[in-house]
Amino acid sequence: MTETKDNSDVIEEVSLDNPALYYNRELSLLEFNDRVLAQAKDENIPLLERLNYLCISCSNLDEFYEVRVASVIQMAEMDPHVTACDGLNAEEQLKVIGVKAHKLVSEQYRVLHDLMIPQLAEEKIRFIRRGDWTDQQRQWVKKFFHEELQPILSPVGLDSAHPFPRILNKSLNFIISLTGKDAFGRNSGRAILQAPRALPRIIRLPKEETGGGEYDFVFLSSIIHSCVDELFNGMTVKNCHQFRVTRNSDLYVDDDAIDDLLNAVEGELAMRNYGDEVRMEIDSKCSEETVNFLAARFGITDDQVFLVNGPVNLSRVQEIVGLVDRPDLKFIPYKASIPAQLSRNKNYFAAIKKQDILLHHPYESFAPVVEFVRQAAVDPDILAIKQTLYRTSSDSPIINALLKAARAGKEVTVVIELRARFDEKANITLAAKLQDAAVNVVYGVVGYKTHAKMCLVVRKEGKKFKDYVHLGTGNYHPKTAQFYTDYGLFSSNKELGEDVRKVFVQLTSLGKVTKLNKLLQSPFTLHKGLMAKVEREIEFAKKGKAAKIIFKVNSVVEGKLMQALYRASQAGVEVKLIVRGICSLRPGIKGVSENIEVRSIIGRFLEHTRVYVFENGGNQEVYAASADMMSRNMFRRVEAAFPIENKQLKARVLSDLDCYLKDNSQAWIMQSDGSYVQSVPEGDVFRVQNELMEQYAVK
């Protein structure tokens, strides 16, 4: 790499505390959703995959309101004067969020009606509207309603004896206007009907009974609309409109008042479906009077009301992707490879003892991680297995291997994070299952989520004990490993094994922080370590030496790190940020961030790897990590960043990053105002994920 000019006399002083230098994290997250939705409009992507992207953008928006908007609303109530990094207080944030979110939702429904539905119809995948049903279809729908729906539907007429029911979070509901009187002479004029959550939201019409096509579908809401009058015998249904309420779903566990973390989380889970209302979606044909009635009932403001032209639970349209057997409208299946060192050597411990082995998922299979734990479970020389679990599948073969190891008498310790958002219930069940098999289960440290991805296996070899470790950037989840990009490292390095063992002691026992050899660990050394390495690059640049930083992460929000990167840019350090989602740092600001480029890759796989690269005067340092550039990762979680030291493996990671920086099709470049512009190839198209699939493909 060529040396840069001497920048020791740089630039006039600029206050890096100026809010104008930062972009609001909530708006940045909505920008990410815009990029996801753009995939639904990309004609180069198979049609059913495009539909999938549309639905992902909708489910992302659900979570955005459940967690992020909910927290801003709470801040507005608790301390309205507190401002975000861009200087906006909570009320101001809610206003700009409302404007941007409404634009996003309008575009989602435009994509559904103008692109998805017509193009799916061309492929003979049809959503049949009520007005277009044939007599045969209408008869089948009526029969389906009577046999499958009516027995489990429970409409509630609103009056003094029937108060407004508790509406479950994100459930499908109907508000019904009625005339006439029932058997008791009552009628308040309104009723509420909740659709049971167990019911599918899209129903396939059987070809042989309805005379239609193989892939003709109707929405559950259409069936209920068409037959709703049968639920109110002797009364007249004037109007029936669907609506859905999104609630605050973030669990609140008071760390200072916890005696039993498991009981505390279980107690909060029971209330998740009934948190404060943060958004209402309702049929756009609904009268203003009814909309206002519901908004008042839920205590939400106009900017939290979304009038939608179509199903209110748009994310459930995703069911279609699994119901339609059309491989030509989906991505070509990809077969992940296995590194030669592991495919040639059946004994994983012998292979890892020879050299470190790096896995790059999903291009390389997650199966070796499962096999590593499985072999540890059956190897008579393995004495102990220690593992962290943040998210995993309920039927994970890793869990089965851990259970087998415990039953074989091995010392098995699992650190389960009970507060992994939206996986809390699954993790509570998993903890009980492991404890029943005599696994030593701990829940980490109160006040700090355990987010590090680590597995330690202790093997007796002769008269000595040897540590084998797996460290990763992603979860021990075999299913998500098929479409999340992540790195995993196998190593028998003595110092690395010692570090991992020390971290497990911290998590399971009590004691002072001990010095680590190689790992950078939150909440103790990771932030300090990264800051020091950025400052080192600044010093190299000031001396006129080559200086470069590459971070590939999911989010960049933490204030001190952003300021350090601004200082690096001012000093002449080349800064390349590959950020999937939120980025509050603004690139390209004169005198501040001219040397910073921020790009986001959106493709077939969800970018999830966290990698930190420092030029270090030509002696490049490469770390992979579980942590993003966020305050929570740096100070409120247990995280691990591990060095990639093997020359070949380091070169592989750097080559992968070069591919990300060369992408001219899936890359979106962040502008200084926080918006993104998609790269347009000037010559040959280069898509990083396609390139890596080719590189790692089974030969």
Side-chain angles (χ1 to χ4, degrees), residues 469-682:
V469 300
H470 174 269
L471 291 155
T473 68
N475 297 307
Y476 289 104
H477 198 308
K479 291 180 180 175
T480 59
Q482 295 174 32
F483 52 90
Y484 280 31
T485 70
D486 275 304
Y487 283 119
L489 178 71
F490 289 120
S491 180
S492 63
N493 179 277
K494 183 179 178 180
E495 291 181 315
L496 203 55
E498 192 177 283
D499 282 357
V500 173
R501 194 154 20 90
K502 287 178 179 177
V503 175
F504 272 111
V505 169
Q506 284 178 9
L507 293 171
T508 60
S509 184
L510 299 170
K512 295 285 187 182
V513 178
T514 52
K515 187 177 180 182
L516 302 179
N517 303 297
K518 293 180 179 292
L519 290 184
L520 295 175
Q521 182 206 357
S522 289
F524 307 117
T525 59
L526 179 54
H527 187 262
K528 290 177 186 174
L530 292 176
M531 290 288 288
K533 292 175 190 300
V534 173
E535 294 298 334
R536 186 182 61 191
E537 294 301 312
I538 292 173
E539 290 305 310
F540 278 124
K542 286 180 177 179
K543 293 173 183 176
K545 295 185 177 181
K548 185 174 183 178
I549 296 168
I550 305 172
F551 287 164
K552 183 180 184 298
V553 290
N554 300 320
S555 303
V556 175
V557 177
E558 203 282 314
K560 286 186 168 55
L561 277 168
M562 289 193 292
Q563 290 193 359
L565 292 174
Y566 280 154
R567 290 196 305 275
S569 173
Q570 289 174 323
V573 179
E574 184 183 358
V575 180
K576 302 287 187 182
L577 304 181
I578 306 162
V579 186
R580 184 191 79 209
I582 305 167
C583 185
S584 289
L585 174 151
R586 293 180 184 260
I589 298 174
K590 188 175 180 181
V592 177
S593 56
E594 291 153 303
N595 292 315
I596 300 178
E597 178 192 81
V598 180
R599 56 173 48 213
S600 174
I601 304 293
I602 307 292
R604 171 174 178 170
F605 304 126
L606 182 79
E607 292 298 335
H608 196 251
T609 42
R610 289 98 164 189
V611 181
Y612 320 139
V613 177
F614 301 92
E615 181 61 26
N616 192 26
N619 184 24
Q620 290 170 311
E621 286 186 339
V622 177
Y623 283 82
S626 60
D628 289 308
M629 303 290 175
M630 304 180 78
S631 295
R632 70 184 188 191
N633 299 99
M634 297 294 145
F635 307 115
R636 299 193 301 278
R637 289 186 174 187
V638 177
E639 306 272 13
F642 50 97
I644 309 295
E645 296 181 318
N646 176 283
K647 287 185 179 179
Q648 288 180 318
L649 301 185
K650 186 191 292 188
R652 262 182 60 192
V653 174
L654 292 171
S655 174
D656 290 346
L657 291 173
D658 281 343
C659 289
Y660 280 97
L661 296 172
K662 281 169 58 180
D663 190 295
N664 60 12
S665 181
Q666 293 178 309
W668 293 72
I669 310 302
M670 186 179 181
Q671 309 301 296
S672 58
D673 65 354
S675 65
Y676 286 75
V677 175
Q678 187 169 12
S679 295
V680 178
E682 293 181 1

Side-chain angles (χ1 to χ4, degrees), residues 19-31:
L21 298 180
Y22 303 94
Y23 189 58
N24 186 273
R25 67 171 286 173
E26 319 307 344
L27 298 183
S28 187
L29 193 47
L30 287 173
E31 286 281 348

Side-chain angles (χ1 to χ4, degrees), residues 381-385 456-460 465-468:
D381 294 323
I382 298 297
L383 303 181
I385 304 171
L456 169 68
V457 170
V458 182
R459 192 168 190 263
K460 189 171 185 181
F465 295 106
K466 188 161 185 66
D467 294 332
Y468 293 85

Side-chain angles (χ1 to χ4, degrees), residues 388-402:
T388 60
L389 290 176
Y390 191 76
R391 300 185 199 278
T392 191
S393 54
S394 57
D395 57 349
S396 172
I398 286 180
I399 302 305
N400 294 334
L402 292 171

